Amino acid sequence: MNPLCNVSHRLPRSYRLLAALASVSITTTCAAGVDFELKLWHGYNYYYGDARLTASSPSPVTYHRVESPNGLIWQNAGSDNTGSSSSLSETTDVAALVNEITNGTWALTLNVGDASEQHYAFSIDLSGVDSALLGDAVITAPLQGASVASNPPTIEWTGPTSFPTINIYVSLEDFPYTLQDYETLPGAATSWTPSVVLEQGSQSILLTYDSYNYAGATIGTPTNLVGGASLAGWTANLDLSTYVYSDFNVQGGLAFDEAVEMPGLSWTTGGGEDWFVQSNEYNVGVSALQSGAVGYNGSSWIETSVQGPGTLTFDWNLLADADDYFSLSVSNLYGEYEELGYYGYDSGFWDYREISLEEGQNLLRWTFYNDDPTAGSYDAAFLDNVVLDIAIDYEAEFSITIERVDQGGSSHYLVFPNLTYSYPVPVTVNEVVSPNGLCSGGDSSSSSLNFATLQDAIDEIEAGDWILYFDRYGSGNEFYFTVSVDALATNDLPVVSITNPAHGATGVSTNTVFTWSGPADFDSAFALVRHANPGYTIGFSTLPASATTWTNAPSLPEGTNMFSVTYTRGNFTGLTISHPEDASFNPLFSWATYAELSSLGRSTFQTAAGFVPAPVTLLPPIAAGGNLALSFVSQSGTTHFIYYTTNLVTGPWMDATNFPGNGTTNLVTFPATNAAAYFKVETQ
């Protein structure tokens, strides 16, 4: 079993941060034609493979593509490839990742789709890469989510001892992740203090242990699949990295959201001087926000964005002189503006305000305007005790597919959760995640670990609470539910067996006949054929469940192709799915569920260049159960037609039977009571 995920994986936050720090990365260029870099990442309980491919001297006509033996790690690179991306394969078992890299040959295609397209193959050997080598990195100070009073703070950590280099970044936690400071340290380092004072607010730490050009890796030079020539101008290296991510608050001991008793809100401030947290003037708790110092006719503002509809309440105060004032603007579907107060109107006293929020995003901005700085020590506005009562009726439709996959005599199981509908539409993503995080899905994608047995899949389904996230990486709201398996056995997911072309077959005809067997009592079947390198869909068709062959199937290109048939059975009633509730046991407003079963059979085979049907040799006839039996070795990827006649001179030749060839010896029987006849075999 290969436990690597076979579907797309969403990048963790640490990878997004790395992308934001690209401007400080140390890169090298080469004058060679193709430069290949493979990086193995370890973070928390997961391991990833990341391929990087660059090309020059000359640049690609279209684009180049590199792909691991099973196609789980890949990248396209070139001027005509606007959708280039590197695929990450995720697994909790480092041995599985090493197996994906080393067990087989990598494919390199130059100028995909162009007349100059060339195909190369190369291999990678690894030694010493295991969980002990990659180790675990842990940030011990500041702890995750902590608020720090000292600025800059001292960052402390523990990690593996086998890496020569540590890279550490401190950035603002919110997009665009503005870099605060960066340092490269020796691998034995366990602490570091930034050289600059950090901005107030939420900060993030990304710490990576790095080993460049790992000595235990050997990357071969690609050889051309036609002629065997080595690729000139090839450079390659393999790097290792173990990372840890953490965030903390820098705000004199309190972040903005904590100072106004509203955790989770993200604040932005600007104007003459930024707003800040202080503990001299407040109404609730031990602190409040104060506008920054501004000069004549200046202003200082602070804002946050919330999802409506709902109600917002807050406490405010104004300590200023004549013609200074404090206001609130709300940018939403209609827009509104409120004057909170002038000097002489509740000045020096805390007041309370309540406003209604429209549906959708509401941008709230509080602004202090100052005509002249003559009000003594304050001349400022204050904000405290912000309370947001959101009245969103969250809705979701949840589907779950349990799938069996068979290929070449081996099988594994997948669990695909998905949201077929969810409301409200998120700023980031709405997503559902299984109890141990091994399966997840949103409105348009789904992923699953490969489970060795059906029981392993059931164990993950029933392991505890599933989490339903609304706007997971934005404002974020969570609901919890459970899934229990009432009745599900292996025979509920029958094997789908591809009989032609057989898995691993070679010399298959470009016009081969696809045949298979599967569960006729399922709702439908879906046939698909893909070219493996470069990967693209050749054709597909939805068929009745009773189908055992694909008529009007497309012709195949030469090379490696993959054929699959997926049977689906909807409205499966063997699961019980509870109604989601949030942490306060409030139920989801609207909830619908749907479950289905799926069985997939898959075959990977080689279509030969210049395929020519070969004549067969009939073996001596034998008696079989009182009947006459003819036998011969069939040709894979063809169809054999058997004819007979009782007169070689006048004929005619009549049909006896036909069947697809699969490379094995086939036995054809005829009743012994039949008249004497001559036989011939025609191969197409």
Side-chain angles (χ1 to χ4, degrees):
M1 180 197 73
N2 186 343
L4 298 179
C5 289
N6 68 337
V7 293
S8 62
H9 170 75
R10 179 173 292 108
L11 291 177
R13 182 165 52 176
S14 55
Y15 276 84
R16 301 202 307 274
L17 181 58
L18 275 177
L21 298 173
S23 60
V24 300
S25 298
I26 300 173
T27 60
T28 59
T29 60
C30 64
V34 180
D35 188 358
F36 171 66
E37 176 189 351
L38 180 61
K39 191 160 190 176
L40 274 58
W41 292 91
H42 172 219
Y44 303 96
N45 295 325
Y46 294 95
Y47 301 87
Y48 314 92
D50 187 9
R52 307 290 175 89
L53 188 68
T54 56
S56 61
S57 304
S59 297
V61 177
T62 56
Y63 66 94
H64 300 343
R65 177 183 177 88
V66 67
E67 183 174 336
S68 62
N70 291 312
L72 300 176
I73 306 172
W74 58 269
Q75 192 198 34
N76 300 334
S79 60
D80 192 37
N81 182 46
T82 57
S84 63
S85 68
S86 178
S87 174
L88 294 173
S89 296
E90 171 188 316
T91 178
T92 56
D93 182 6
V94 65
L97 180 58
V98 171
N99 182 70
E100 170 65 12
I101 294 169
T102 61
N103 189 16
T105 58
W106 287 64
L108 174 66
T109 305
L110 305 184
N111 295 323
V112 175
D114 187 70
S116 61
E117 179 180 293
Q118 297 183 57
H119 298 271
Y120 290 83
F122 65 97
S123 60
I124 299 178
D125 291 327
L126 280 179
S127 62
V129 177
D130 55 21
S131 58
L133 173 71
L134 297 174
D136 293 295
V138 179
I139 294 175
T140 56
L143 294 175
Q144 168 70 29
S147 294
V148 297
S150 60
N151 193 0
T154 297
I155 301 170
E156 301 175 349
W157 64 86
T158 62
T161 59
S162 54
F163 286 77
T165 303
I166 296 173
N167 288 294
I168 185 169
Y169 309 81
V170 178
S171 304
L172 289 180
E173 204 274 337
D174 290 327
F175 184 82
Y177 312 115
T178 304
L179 181 67
Q180 302 288 282
D181 200 7
Y182 159 82
E183 189 63 76
T184 298
L185 304 169
T190 57
S191 67
W192 172 69
T193 302
S195 60
V196 298
V197 175
L198 305 180
E199 291 188 31
Q200 296 178 349
S202 184
Q203 300 280 344
S204 64
I205 304 168
L206 176 64
L207 184 145
T208 65
Y209 282 80
D210 295 296
S211 177
Y212 303 109
N213 295 307
Y214 175 62
T218 302
I219 303 178
T221 300
T223 57
N224 198 305
L225 296 183
V226 179
S230 297
L231 177 65
W234 167 261
T235 61
N237 66 279
L238 185 140
D239 302 333
L240 305 177
S241 182
T242 291
Y243 71 87
V244 64
Y245 173 91
S246 181
D247 58 66
F248 63 98
N249 294 311
V250 176
Q251 190 57 47
L254 282 178
F256 278 21
D257 57 350
E258 294 174 308
V260 295
E261 291 75 40
M262 190 60 197
L265 284 185
S266 177
W267 296 85
T268 304
T269 179
E273 291 289 339
D274 291 345
W275 285 59
F276 59 93
V277 176
Q278 51 78 49
S279 298
N280 296 316
E281 186 69 30
Y282 57 88
N283 197 41
V284 175
V286 296
S287 61
L289 299 179
Q290 177 179 332
S291 60
V294 292
Y296 289 94
N297 298 318
S299 65
S300 177
W301 55 264
I302 188 169
E303 68 181 20
T304 188
S305 182
V306 298
Q307 181 83 16
T311 301
L312 180 80
T313 62
F314 58 91
D315 298 338
W316 64 274
N317 196 358
L318 178 63
L319 294 174
D321 59 7
D323 297 323
D324 296 345
Y325 65 95
F326 190 25
S327 71
L328 167 67
S329 63
V330 182
S331 300
N332 50 33
L333 183 62
Y334 305 103
E336 63 181 86
Y337 178 86
E338 293 196 25
E339 299 235 357
L340 298 176
Y342 282 92
Y343 180 78
Y345 175 76
D346 283 345
S347 179
F349 300 94
W350 283 94
D351 208 340
Y352 167 86
R353 183 64 58 93
E354 176 180 311
I355 62 171
S356 296
L357 302 176
E358 302 293 339
E359 183 175 339
Q361 285 295 312
N362 292 260
L363 180 64
L364 311 170
R365 174 177 284 198
W366 291 264
T367 306
F368 169 66
Y369 298 90
N370 190 18
D371 73 325
D372 63 82
T374 58
S377 60
Y378 280 124
D379 212 16
F382 301 85
L383 182 65
D384 200 5
N385 193 30
V386 178
V387 178
L388 181 62
D389 183 10
I390 297 297
I392 297 178
D393 290 334
Y394 289 99
E395 303 176 15
E397 293 179 2
F398 169 68
S399 68
I400 183 171
T401 300
I402 302 172
E403 181 172 277
R404 173 176 181 157
V405 178
D406 287 275
Q407 176 175 297
S410 63
S411 63
H412 62 269
Y413 296 83
L414 304 167
V415 178
F416 290 124
N418 217 326
L419 295 176
T420 54
Y421 168 80
S422 60
Y423 176 83
V425 176
V427 175
T428 57
V429 64
N430 293 340
E431 191 171 26
V432 62
V433 179
S434 65
N436 293 313
L438 303 181
C439 312
S440 64
D443 294 317
S444 59
S445 64
S446 187
S447 65
S448 172
L449 191 73
N450 289 357
F451 297 99
T453 67
L454 178 59
Q455 188 58 51
D456 291 340
I458 293 174
D459 289 344
E460 173 63 13
I461 292 172
E462 298 184 325
D465 283 338
W466 290 64
I467 304 178
L468 173 60
Y469 295 96
F470 290 92
D471 198 15
R472 181 172 188 180
Y473 303 106
S475 56
N477 286 280
E478 299 178 11
F479 289 80
Y480 306 89
F481 65 96
T482 59
V483 181
S484 61
V485 179
D486 305 323
L488 179 61
T490 304
N491 58 10
D492 292 320
L493 293 162
V495 174
V496 177
S497 178
I498 307 298
T499 52
N500 191 69
H503 179 64
T506 59
V508 176
S509 168
T510 57
N511 292 308
T512 189
V513 176
F514 295 104
T515 61
W516 65 87
S517 62
D521 59 340
F522 272 43
D523 298 333
S524 63
F526 180 78
L528 171 72
V529 62
R530 287 179 52 84
H531 192 46
N533 185 27
Y536 63 87
T537 298
I538 302 168
F540 58 87
S541 181
T542 299
L543 304 169
S546 58
T548 58
T549 187
W550 183 4
T551 59
N552 301 318
S555 297
L556 302 176
E558 299 170 2
T560 302
N561 294 293
M562 186 198 75
F563 172 61
S564 65
V565 179
T566 305
Y567 283 77
T568 303
R569 173 188 169 191
N571 296 313
F572 177 61
T573 59
L575 302 180
T576 298
I577 305 172
S578 69
H579 195 102
E581 297 179 338
D582 65 14
S584 299
F585 304 103
N586 298 310
L588 192 69
F589 175 74
S590 177
W591 176 244
T593 62
Y594 181 81
E596 67 179 15
L597 302 180
S598 176
S599 282
L600 181 149
R602 185 164 53 210
S603 169
T604 301
F605 54 92
Q606 296 289 328
T607 303
F611 177 85
V612 176
V616 302
T617 300
L618 287 173
L619 301 176
I622 61 173
N627 296 319
L628 173 69
L630 301 176
S631 61
F632 58 90
V633 178
S634 66
Q635 184 178 0
S636 181
T638 68
T639 300
H640 297 288
F641 297 86
I642 300 178
Y643 303 95
Y644 72 95
T645 183
T646 58
N647 192 316
L648 284 176
V649 177
T650 61
W653 288 96
M654 293 172 286
D655 293 337
T657 187
N658 65 83
F659 56 87
N662 57 13
T664 63
T665 299
N666 286 263
L667 193 68
V668 184
T669 60
F670 300 95
T673 56
N674 284 5
Y678 302 94
F679 293 89
K680 72 175 182 180
V681 179
E682 182 179 297
T683 302
Q684 297 181 5

